[in-house]
């Protein structure tokens, strides 16, 4: 598993933007930026939709006021689902990123097998990344939702 102080592995994530599908690299997402990234097991799932994403939406201005350039939400879903999920929650201040084949999640060592739920998914976590280096990592224990909450991350900024 990736740890604090490590540089993110070379990755690409996708995003469905107004002008079509975009493939974004580490340089696009993290170079010369301070970013909060949070990951969820699945778009439109109960905790993710009722608490995790909404809390980051509510606190986005306070998070950005701490010098954060961008807030990213990542899930092992496709870019179409992530765009629809963001729109359903009015997440205009959160960049919704798809890790469709779980390659980013696996490269971080934060994947889990949820065969009965949907196959390979992400562990619930949040991280602070500064110029591609992880400066804060908050990984939830299974079936918990404490350390990756928006309020907990805000307190670490």
């Amino acid at each position: 598993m990736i740890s604090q102080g490590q540089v993110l592995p070379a990755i690409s994530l996708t995003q469905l933007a107004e002008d079509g599908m975009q493939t974004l690299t580490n340089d696009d997402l993290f170079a010369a930026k301070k970013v909060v990234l949070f990951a969820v097991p699945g778009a439109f799932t109960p905790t993710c939709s009722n608490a995790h994403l909404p809390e980051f939406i509510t606190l986005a201005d306070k998070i950005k006021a701490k010098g954060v350039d961008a807030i990213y939400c990542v899930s092992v879903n496709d870019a179409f689902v992530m765009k629809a999920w963001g729109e359903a929650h009015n997440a205009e201040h959160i960049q919704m990123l798809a890790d469709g084949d779980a390659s980013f999640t696996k490269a971080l060592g934060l994947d889990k097998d949820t065969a009965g739920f949907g196959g390979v998914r992400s562990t619930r976590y949040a991280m602070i990344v500064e110029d591609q280096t992880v400066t804060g990592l908050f990984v939830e224990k299974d079936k918990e939702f404490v350390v990756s909450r928006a309020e907990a991350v805000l307190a670490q900024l």
Side-chain angles (χ1 to χ4, degrees):
M1 177 171 66
I2 195 159
S3 59
Q4 192 167 315
Q6 288 186 305
V7 174
L8 288 175
I11 55 94
S12 64
L13 295 165
T14 57
Q15 175 182 9
L16 185 58
E18 297 304 318
D19 57 346
M21 192 68 67
Q22 297 177 338
T23 300
L24 304 166
T25 66
N26 277 30
D27 286 342
D28 299 325
L29 295 168
F30 302 105
K33 294 178 188 174
K34 183 175 184 178
V35 171
V36 168
L37 178 150
F38 67 101
V40 298
F44 293 105
T45 56
T47 301
C48 306
S49 289
N50 297 332
H52 211 173
L53 177 59
E55 287 179 5
F56 274 96
I57 292 167
T58 300
L59 293 175
D61 289 341
K62 289 182 179 179
I63 291 169
K64 288 186 176 181
K66 296 279 190 170
V68 171
D69 298 298
I71 303 169
Y72 303 145
C73 177
V74 176
S75 184
V76 180
N77 288 108
D78 65 52
F80 298 98
V81 169
M82 292 302 286
K83 180 174 175 53
W85 190 39
E87 288 174 349
H89 286 275
N90 298 313
E92 61 267 0
H93 300 295
I94 311 288
Q95 202 166 340
M96 307 299 284
L97 301 171
D99 183 21
D101 64 357
S103 59
F104 175 66
T105 301
K106 289 176 183 176
L108 295 177
L110 291 169
D111 57 304
K112 64 180 181 176
D113 185 3
T114 60
F117 170 69
V120 175
R121 296 288 181 156
S122 177
T123 300
R124 185 182 306 281
Y125 68 90
M127 64 172 61
I128 301 166
V129 180
E130 296 184 52
D131 195 20
Q132 303 192 42
T133 300
V134 178
T135 59
L137 181 63
F138 318 103
V139 180
E140 296 290 357
K141 293 178 182 169
D142 206 27
K143 299 189 182 198
E144 286 192 6
F145 179 48
V146 179
V147 298
S148 68
R149 297 181 85 112
E151 283 185 4
V153 175
L154 179 61
Q156 299 297 317
L157 291 168

